[in-house]
Amino acid sequence: MTLRPFHLAFPVHDLEAARAFWGGTIGCPEGRSSNEWIDFDFYGHQIVAHLAEAAGDTASNPVDGHDVPVPHFGIVLTLEDWQALADRLTAAGTAFVIEPHIRFKGQPGEQATMFFRDPSGNAIEMKAFPDLGQLFAKD
């Protein structure tokens, strides 16, 4: 099966802050934009920051000893790209909701993960698997 790019639109309260974070800190190339939205190339997928009054959420669920923000979105990277992004975010002074670490160590679905919020409070999870075949592993 060939994966198709996904499209995700999310609210932001400041387009310039979104541009600086998603384009600058994360490194997503910018696509089309207007006074109300900006398209970004998120590792081959289309995400769109839409100017809106309400953004972010504070709900969470417990997962492997951490309070995981809900809702959230992200991408599954290679371990090398995940580590490079973790290093870049750390160097940029990003406040992590959940610091970069290995979740489910030695168990099915073992993964590197980190959570942070964009300037509008949207929760982002970036993860990587030593074995991508474990992406949908069950206990």
Side-chain angles (χ1 to χ4, degrees):
M1 174 176 84
T2 301
L3 289 178
R4 304 286 302 161
F6 69 77
H7 165 82
L8 175 73
F10 58 96
V12 299
H13 67 270
D14 182 324
L15 286 177
E16 288 310 311
R19 181 175 276 122
F21 181 78
W22 289 101
T25 303
I26 301 296
C28 298
E30 186 173 326
R32 294 168 294 158
S33 65
S34 78
N35 292 333
E36 286 91 28
W37 52 268
I38 304 169
D39 280 350
F40 293 101
D41 178 344
F42 185 59
Y43 299 92
H45 301 281
Q46 183 190 48
I47 62 171
V48 186
H50 281 269
L51 191 58
E53 289 184 30
D57 195 309
T58 58
S60 66
N61 281 329
V63 178
D64 196 36
H66 292 95
D67 288 327
V68 170
V70 178
H72 67 266
F73 70 94
I75 193 107
V76 178
L77 300 170
T78 65
L79 280 170
E80 181 179 285
D81 289 344
W82 180 88
Q83 188 61 61
L85 179 59
D87 293 344
R88 191 165 63 245
L89 290 168
T90 300
T94 301
F96 290 97
V97 175
I98 299 175
E99 295 280 335
H101 73 285
I102 303 299
R103 174 190 290 159
F104 307 129
K105 196 167 195 149
Q107 301 174 47
E110 178 178 316
Q111 61 196 261
T113 185
M114 63 180 130
F115 282 82
F116 51 92
R117 292 187 182 274
D118 74 1
S120 291
N122 295 296
I124 314 302
E125 178 185 19
M126 302 300 273
K127 61 171 63 179
F129 289 79
D131 174 4
L132 191 56
Q134 292 288 299
L135 182 63
F136 297 107
K138 294 183 179 182
D139 296 336

